[in-house]
Amino acid sequence: MEQALLYAATLGTLACIYAVLTLGLNLQWGLTGLMNFGGLGFVAVGAYTAALLTAAPSATHVGGFGVPWWLAWPAAGLAAALLALPVGAIALRLRADYLAIATIGIAEIVRLVARNEDWLTGGPLGVTAIPRPFESLGTPTGQVAFLLLVGAVLAVLFAAAQATANSPFGRALRAVRDDEEAAKAAGKNPARLRLHAFLLGAGFMGLGGAMMTAFFKFIGPDALEPVTVTFLVWVMLIAGGSGNNWGAVAGAFAVWVVWAATDWLAAQLPGEAATRAAYIRLFLIGLALQAILLARPQGLIGERIGSPQR
Amino acid sequence: MLAFVNFYLLPGLVLGAIYALSATGLSLIYGVMRFAHFAHGDLLALGAYCAFAASTSLGISVWASIPFAAAATIPAALVADALFYAPLRRSLPAVLLISSFGVALMLRALIYFFFGPTPVTFPRPIVPPLVFEGVRIQARHIWIILGAALCAFMLHLILSRTRAGRAMRAMSDDPDLARISGVATAAVIRLTWIIAAVLVAVAGVFLGLDTQLQPVMGFNVLLASFAAAILGGIGRPWGAAFGGVILGLAEECSTYPLVDGAPLLQPTYKSAVAFVVLIATLLLRPQGLFRGMI
């Protein structure tokens, strides 16, 4: 019973964290049409920021600041947004696809720094012993309490994303996405609007990264990989319905359930076959993305334009 | 001086030749189809691995296995285009980009499935380098540079001397004008894929020969290829080739100990050079050195 509860709490916590990442991408791509293929970079910066602020002192990296999570998590979001600022300011003035290429570069740079700057990040060893809120409550109460906390953060961010989407700012973002010239003619500044949306989305991703490290109690250069962070979040958003926050959350939950279930199924296979099944799963997820793009480009819950979303 | 030539200039040229081959195809695709092909790197890896399979199972030399690499990348590119890209051609370019991102993952999954995650090397004898007046160079590096130059020359002939090449350039300049002038756009698109797939297959084999093969090898050169293509002016194949050589040289020379014996840039940060070049281009000359499409 306790085992089942722990498993459910793990699944639920990760689903909520993925939903936060997907909401962030929805602000960028769904609402504003910005292609961010470097989600990993922003998640990792948030993750490391929170980890170094909260982790116990260690000889292998800076840290030991003893900052409580409720301060460290917003700081993580801020750090990710700071990373987005210079690159966004340069790449957003140009073609949309240049941002996609530049964000891949950011993810690469972040990975290099995490691996090589041992004094800062602990290098390949990473940062360990990251405290998780409520762990003093014991198992499984602590895990359930943490799930409730992550769920609450998701709820707050969802409300913020909804408010953004329905605000004049959100409408201006859509206008820039759909017809930049018309938006300009209406007196909007597309470059600034895009930059704001990019920073906001990056902040969501940084916060998601912070929650992820608190959950795993560890962060290292190989703990995050492009497939399970950047790509999976894209599939979640496209499947759920880009442009719609409900769709983003629904897509995150649905794809996460499929991902976790196939993970469990693959693990039932013996040794070598289990590894290979993981590759088949990767192929099928790619194929599923193609199928959605072709057959249902609006996703599970498409964007509703014209009336306030509910 | 000799040390600079041996350890920085020549390796830079070899890497530059490989980037040039990959970036040229990327730029051609961009010119004709107007989208950034994110699966290009994984197409490169697919070519390299298929050449590896051919050369180990048939016992042929690496050079003779290049056609096998192309025999894998051409159908892969054409099938991906027919199944996934073609139906999306009328939607936003961004959607095509996302689709190619998915194709990249599918290709990588196939490579992992068939060849596993462990790096492998082409079977190659260990030969001492050739020495000319103190300049030491591996024979395979000479062949890589010559091979890339040959590919560039053939591409030049195709683009400038043949009807199909002119049609490609016309589509790249103005797709609508090309269409109403009677250019068979579907055929031009197929030809573009074939040329780009051959170039990237050669690049994959060369990269595998220069270093080793690993499933993420393509993803690792993707950023450099894009940076090279944008530096040369995206949509301009010659610019991309030039940009590739510049980028290869910049990457290798970035670690040159110019001041007090300390490398300019720690070798572990070599792959950041591509990003710096990309950002500098976007900042200073977004149309690229040779006036690409912005």
Side-chain angles (χ1 to χ4, degrees):
Chain A
M1 183 58 211
E2 191 185 306
Q3 215 51 39
L5 190 63
L6 265 181
Y7 189 66
T10 302
L11 274 185
T13 307
L14 285 169
C16 289
I17 294 173
Y18 270 111
V20 168
L21 300 182
T22 313
L23 280 175
L25 188 63
N26 189 37
L27 282 169
Q28 298 180 336
W29 164 248
L31 219 52
T32 324
L34 307 175
M35 264 179 293
N36 179 356
F37 281 158
L40 176 72
F42 302 101
V43 172
V45 162
Y48 270 104
T49 307
L52 294 176
L53 285 176
T54 57
S58 157
T60 54
H61 57 79
V62 297
F65 301 108
V67 175
W69 63 267
W70 48 268
L71 264 181
W73 289 9
L78 207 61
L82 273 181
L83 175 74
L85 182 61
V87 175
I90 294 168
L92 285 174
R93 297 180 304 155
L94 302 157
R95 301 183 47 102
D97 24 20
Y98 284 5
L99 180 72
I101 299 164
T103 48
I104 285 212
I106 301 180
E108 172 72 6
I109 304 276
V110 170
R111 196 182 61 84
L112 285 177
V113 171
R115 187 177 300 276
N116 295 314
E117 299 303 319
D118 295 25
W119 60 273
L120 178 68
T121 62
L125 297 175
V127 181
T128 52
I130 299 164
R132 181 197 299 154
F134 304 126
E135 54 189 335
S136 58
L137 296 180
T139 313
T141 324
Q143 275 84 348
V144 174
F146 184 72
L147 166 64
L148 293 178
L149 173 64
V150 173
V153 171
L154 171 62
V156 170
L157 290 180
F158 180 79
Q162 277 294 70
T164 306
N166 292 330
S167 70
F169 171 65
R171 282 196 297 278
L173 292 181
R174 284 205 194 85
V176 165
R177 178 196 65 188
D178 292 337
D179 192 337
E180 184 174 343
E181 294 308 315
K184 261 191 213 160
K188 304 295 174 197
N189 180 346
R192 198 163 64 219
L193 287 166
R194 285 205 189 100
L195 186 60
H196 288 171
F198 189 54
L199 297 187
L200 203 57
F204 274 47
M205 291 176 188
L207 191 53
M211 295 194 286
M212 223 175 239
T213 43
F215 178 69
F216 289 118
K217 297 176 66 57
F218 168 77
I219 179 73
D222 297 321
L224 300 169
E225 44 170 339
V227 170
T228 47
V229 183
T230 308
F231 184 68
L232 204 56
V233 173
W234 266 101
V235 175
M236 287 166 172
L237 181 60
I238 302 282
S242 29
N244 185 327
N245 290 321
W246 287 106
V249 173
F253 284 0
V255 172
W256 175 247
V257 166
V258 173
W259 184 257
T262 47
D263 192 38
W264 181 84
L265 274 180
Q268 305 308 307
L269 296 168
E272 172 71 359
T275 330
R276 292 197 150 206
Y279 302 140
I280 296 178
R281 176 175 72 148
L282 188 59
F283 183 85
L284 291 178
I285 285 279
L287 194 62
L289 175 72
Q290 308 294 352
I292 299 163
L293 283 178
L294 292 173
R296 200 175 162 80
Q298 75 275 34
L300 217 54
I301 312 175
E303 184 179 13
R304 294 188 185 90
I305 295 184
S307 60
Q309 295 179 17
R310 44 187 121 246
Chain B
M1 190 57 211
L2 269 182
F4 176 74
V5 172
N6 283 339
F7 300 120
Y8 299 93
L9 191 65
L10 287 175
L13 278 179
V14 171
L15 190 63
I18 294 165
Y19 285 164
L21 287 170
S22 164
T24 308
L26 211 50
S27 212
L28 277 176
I29 295 169
Y30 197 96
V32 171
M33 279 163 272
R34 298 283 192 285
F35 88 104
H37 184 226
F38 268 72
H40 213 62
D42 292 285
L43 206 54
L44 177 146
L46 179 76
Y49 270 97
C50 288
F52 172 78
S55 92
T56 45
S57 63
L58 304 177
I60 55 177
S61 87
V62 178
W63 311 104
S65 72
I66 291 178
F68 290 90
T73 54
I74 294 174
L78 289 176
V79 166
D81 184 68
L83 287 183
F84 306 134
Y85 304 151
L88 296 173
R89 204 108 65 202
R90 298 226 163 261
S91 49
L92 292 168
V95 178
L96 268 176
L97 217 160
I98 298 168
S99 172
S100 73
F101 196 54
V103 168
L105 254 288
M106 292 163 75
L107 289 175
R108 207 176 313 160
L110 286 178
I111 293 169
Y112 271 117
F113 183 80
F114 287 107
F115 298 98
T118 329
V120 291
T121 43
F122 277 120
R124 59 168 192 240
I126 295 172
V127 286
L130 309 167
V131 183
F132 309 96
E133 312 274 339
V135 174
R136 301 159 74 85
I137 184 167
Q138 291 281 350
R140 66 173 197 277
H141 287 161
I142 298 181
W143 290 115
I144 287 176
I145 293 172
L146 289 180
L150 180 69
C151 286
F153 180 64
M154 306 254 281
L155 178 66
H156 173 68
L157 286 186
I158 291 174
L159 286 181
S160 61
R161 299 291 156 82
T162 67
R163 231 185 123 70
R166 275 200 297 277
M168 272 172 77
R169 283 188 296 144
M171 247 183 103
S172 161
D173 282 344
D174 190 334
D176 293 326
L177 188 61
R179 196 174 295 118
I180 57 168
S181 313
V183 168
T185 51
V188 172
I189 286 174
R190 269 198 302 278
L191 180 71
T192 308
W193 281 118
I194 292 171
I195 292 176
V198 170
L199 291 174
V200 87
V202 176
V205 176
F206 284 180
L207 184 65
L209 199 60
D210 186 33
T211 55
Q212 57 182 1
L213 297 98
Q214 53 192 84
V216 292
M217 66 192 282
F219 187 70
N220 292 343
V221 299
L222 185 66
L223 181 64
S225 306
F226 271 126
I230 293 174
L231 174 65
I234 195 132
R236 300 267 173 269
W238 275 110
F242 183 75
V245 175
I246 297 282
L247 203 66
L249 285 172
E251 234 174 72
E252 292 295 339
C253 295
S254 68
T255 56
Y256 185 69
L258 197 63
V259 195
D260 300 336
L264 290 173
L265 187 76
Q266 290 300 325
T268 42
Y269 280 104
K270 238 191 229 177
S271 53
V273 171
F275 183 68
V276 173
V277 169
L278 174 73
I279 291 295
T281 311
L282 295 186
L283 205 54
L284 303 172
R285 201 174 158 82
Q287 72 273 42
L289 295 174
F290 296 98
R291 285 212 165 272
M293 28 186 98
I294 307 179

